[in-house]
Amino acid sequence: MTKIAVFASGTGSNYDAIIEAEKNGTLDAEVALLVCDTPNAKVLEKANEYGTPTFAFDPKQYRNKEMFEAKLVEILQLEKVDLIVLAGYMRLIGETLLRPFEGKIINIHPSLLPAFPGLDAIGQAFDAGVKVSGVTIHYVDEGMDTGKIIAQAPVQIEDDMSREDLQKAVQQVEHTLYPATIQKLITRGE
């Protein structure tokens, strides 16, 4: 069975969706580890409730990015993780982690890339007044939201939508698209 490590920094709504898909049998994988770079994040409470092993760290406790990424590689290899799934992990992945897991790290982004990369993509789309935004799942490379696109789904932006409405609509799509895309990658052996 494919072993997944979910990386998250916040509340963990996509982590929830992935765990639920695992539990209901639509995702043929084991969430073997939750990695969090924010030691007091809500996602850690959820992982505890679900019984997912965790590794929480404060990047400031390491001399540099290479050091904490080397520690992550050590833990991921020890757990025999096959796929790293970024789910609201708010850090760029560096070469130390990319190299041993090349082609095995995916990310979800709340826009139709290449439009609105980086932070606050929902706010960027809303402020730009576009009529369609969406969700992108892509492989992670050294850039910010620049990796090869795996899947996308649109979200219509209605005239009467608030920014919060748009966020809810995007998250609803994310919570379906991410587990389904992970399952497709597993089925295809990627």
PDB file of all heavy atoms in Angstrom, residues 15-27:
ATOM      1  N   TYR A  15      -6.105  17.848   4.762  1.00  0.00           N
ATOM      2  CA  TYR A  15      -5.713  16.642   5.509  1.00  0.00           C
ATOM      3  C   TYR A  15      -6.969  15.863   5.896  1.00  0.00           C
ATOM      4  O   TYR A  15      -7.033  14.645   5.721  1.00  0.00           O
ATOM      5  CB  TYR A  15      -4.883  17.031   6.739  1.00  0.00           C
ATOM      6  CG  TYR A  15      -4.751  15.933   7.765  1.00  0.00           C
ATOM      7  CD1 TYR A  15      -3.926  14.835   7.542  1.00  0.00           C
ATOM      8  CD2 TYR A  15      -5.464  15.994   8.958  1.00  0.00           C
ATOM      9  CE1 TYR A  15      -3.817  13.827   8.486  1.00  0.00           C
ATOM     10  CE2 TYR A  15      -5.364  14.987   9.896  1.00  0.00           C
ATOM     11  CZ  TYR A  15      -4.542  13.903   9.657  1.00  0.00           C
ATOM     12  OH  TYR A  15      -4.435  12.890  10.585  1.00  0.00           O
ATOM     13  N   ASP A  16      -7.979  16.564   6.410  1.00  0.00           N
ATOM     14  CA  ASP A  16      -9.256  15.924   6.750  1.00  0.00           C
ATOM     15  C   ASP A  16      -9.832  15.167   5.559  1.00  0.00           C
ATOM     16  O   ASP A  16     -10.264  14.022   5.684  1.00  0.00           O
ATOM     17  CB  ASP A  16     -10.311  16.976   7.159  1.00  0.00           C
ATOM     18  CG  ASP A  16     -10.215  17.401   8.603  1.00  0.00           C
ATOM     19  OD1 ASP A  16      -9.775  16.604   9.440  1.00  0.00           O
ATOM     20  OD2 ASP A  16     -10.624  18.540   8.897  1.00  0.00           O
ATOM     21  N   ALA A  17      -9.846  15.824   4.401  1.00  0.00           N
ATOM     22  CA  ALA A  17     -10.428  15.220   3.198  1.00  0.00           C
ATOM     23  C   ALA A  17      -9.655  13.969   2.787  1.00  0.00           C
ATOM     24  O   ALA A  17     -10.254  12.963   2.383  1.00  0.00           O
ATOM     25  CB  ALA A  17     -10.452  16.238   2.058  1.00  0.00           C
ATOM     26  N   ILE A  18      -8.347  14.008   2.906  1.00  0.00           N
ATOM     27  CA  ILE A  18      -7.510  12.859   2.547  1.00  0.00           C
ATOM     28  C   ILE A  18      -7.751  11.707   3.521  1.00  0.00           C
ATOM     29  O   ILE A  18      -7.912  10.550   3.109  1.00  0.00           O
ATOM     30  CB  ILE A  18      -6.022  13.277   2.491  1.00  0.00           C
ATOM     31  CG1 ILE A  18      -5.802  14.234   1.313  1.00  0.00           C
ATOM     32  CG2 ILE A  18      -5.108  12.063   2.402  1.00  0.00           C
ATOM     33  CD1 ILE A  18      -4.490  14.996   1.364  1.00  0.00           C
ATOM     34  N   ILE A  19      -7.806  12.006   4.811  1.00  0.00           N
ATOM     35  CA  ILE A  19      -8.073  10.975   5.822  1.00  0.00           C
ATOM     36  C   ILE A  19      -9.455  10.356   5.599  1.00  0.00           C
ATOM     37  O   ILE A  19      -9.622   9.136   5.668  1.00  0.00           O
ATOM     38  CB  ILE A  19      -7.976  11.565   7.253  1.00  0.00           C
ATOM     39  CG1 ILE A  19      -6.520  11.853   7.609  1.00  0.00           C
ATOM     40  CG2 ILE A  19      -8.624  10.644   8.276  1.00  0.00           C
ATOM     41  CD1 ILE A  19      -5.656  10.638   7.886  1.00  0.00           C
ATOM     42  N   GLU A  20     -10.448  11.198   5.334  1.00  0.00           N
ATOM     43  CA  GLU A  20     -11.806  10.674   5.098  1.00  0.00           C
ATOM     44  C   GLU A  20     -11.835   9.764   3.877  1.00  0.00           C
ATOM     45  O   GLU A  20     -12.505   8.726   3.881  1.00  0.00           O
ATOM     46  CB  GLU A  20     -12.809  11.823   4.964  1.00  0.00           C
ATOM     47  CG  GLU A  20     -13.117  12.522   6.271  1.00  0.00           C
ATOM     48  CD  GLU A  20     -13.596  11.581   7.375  1.00  0.00           C
ATOM     49  OE1 GLU A  20     -14.450  10.701   7.110  1.00  0.00           O
ATOM     50  OE2 GLU A  20     -13.091  11.701   8.513  1.00  0.00           O
ATOM     51  N   ALA A  21     -11.114  10.129   2.826  1.00  0.00           N
ATOM     52  CA  ALA A  21     -11.051   9.289   1.624  1.00  0.00           C
ATOM     53  C   ALA A  21     -10.357   7.958   1.933  1.00  0.00           C
ATOM     54  O   ALA A  21     -10.771   6.907   1.425  1.00  0.00           O
ATOM     55  CB  ALA A  21     -10.331  10.024   0.504  1.00  0.00           C
ATOM     56  N   GLU A  22      -9.332   8.003   2.767  1.00  0.00           N
ATOM     57  CA  GLU A  22      -8.665   6.763   3.187  1.00  0.00           C
ATOM     58  C   GLU A  22      -9.640   5.884   3.969  1.00  0.00           C
ATOM     59  O   GLU A  22      -9.771   4.688   3.702  1.00  0.00           O
ATOM     60  CB  GLU A  22      -7.437   7.089   4.044  1.00  0.00           C
ATOM     61  CG  GLU A  22      -6.749   5.863   4.607  1.00  0.00           C
ATOM     62  CD  GLU A  22      -5.689   6.189   5.661  1.00  0.00           C
ATOM     63  OE1 GLU A  22      -5.420   7.378   5.930  1.00  0.00           O
ATOM     64  OE2 GLU A  22      -5.141   5.231   6.229  1.00  0.00           O
ATOM     65  N   LYS A  23     -10.367   6.499   4.907  1.00  0.00           N
ATOM     66  CA  LYS A  23     -11.306   5.746   5.750  1.00  0.00           C
ATOM     67  C   LYS A  23     -12.467   5.144   4.963  1.00  0.00           C
ATOM     68  O   LYS A  23     -12.886   4.036   5.242  1.00  0.00           O
ATOM     69  CB  LYS A  23     -11.866   6.654   6.861  1.00  0.00           C
ATOM     70  CG  LYS A  23     -10.904   6.931   7.966  1.00  0.00           C
ATOM     71  CD  LYS A  23     -11.563   7.797   9.017  1.00  0.00           C
ATOM     72  CE  LYS A  23     -10.804   7.710  10.310  1.00  0.00           C
ATOM     73  NZ  LYS A  23     -11.587   8.152  11.442  1.00  0.00           N
ATOM     74  N   ASN A  24     -12.981   5.901   3.974  1.00  0.00           N
ATOM     75  CA  ASN A  24     -14.147   5.385   3.242  1.00  0.00           C
ATOM     76  C   ASN A  24     -13.766   4.524   2.043  1.00  0.00           C
ATOM     77  O   ASN A  24     -14.624   4.055   1.303  1.00  0.00           O
ATOM     78  CB  ASN A  24     -15.117   6.509   2.851  1.00  0.00           C
ATOM     79  CG  ASN A  24     -14.578   7.430   1.776  1.00  0.00           C
ATOM     80  OD1 ASN A  24     -13.774   7.048   0.941  1.00  0.00           O
ATOM     81  ND2 ASN A  24     -15.043   8.675   1.793  1.00  0.00           N
ATOM     82  N   GLY A  25     -12.459   4.306   1.844  1.00  0.00           N
ATOM     83  CA  GLY A  25     -12.006   3.386   0.816  1.00  0.00           C
ATOM     84  C   GLY A  25     -11.863   3.962  -0.579  1.00  0.00           C
ATOM     85  O   GLY A  25     -11.549   3.226  -1.516  1.00  0.00           O
ATOM     86  N   THR A  26     -12.057   5.272  -0.739  1.00  0.00           N
ATOM     87  CA  THR A  26     -11.872   5.862  -2.070  1.00  0.00           C
ATOM     88  C   THR A  26     -10.409   6.242  -2.325  1.00  0.00           C
ATOM     89  O   THR A  26     -10.055   6.568  -3.451  1.00  0.00           O
ATOM     90  CB  THR A  26     -12.769   7.103  -2.284  1.00  0.00           C
ATOM     91  OG1 THR A  26     -12.488   8.069  -1.271  1.00  0.00           O
ATOM     92  CG2 THR A  26     -14.249   6.718  -2.235  1.00  0.00           C
ATOM     93  N   LEU A  27      -9.599   6.171  -1.288  1.00  0.00           N
ATOM     94  CA  LEU A  27      -8.152   6.404  -1.420  1.00  0.00           C
ATOM     95  C   LEU A  27      -7.439   5.175  -0.880  1.00  0.00           C
ATOM     96  O   LEU A  27      -7.503   4.879   0.318  1.00  0.00           O
ATOM     97  CB  LEU A  27      -7.724   7.660  -0.651  1.00  0.00           C
ATOM     98  CG  LEU A  27      -6.238   8.005  -0.686  1.00  0.00           C
ATOM     99  CD1 LEU A  27      -5.741   8.205  -2.112  1.00  0.00           C
ATOM    100  CD2 LEU A  27      -5.963   9.256   0.138  1.00  0.00           C
TER     101      LEU A  27
END
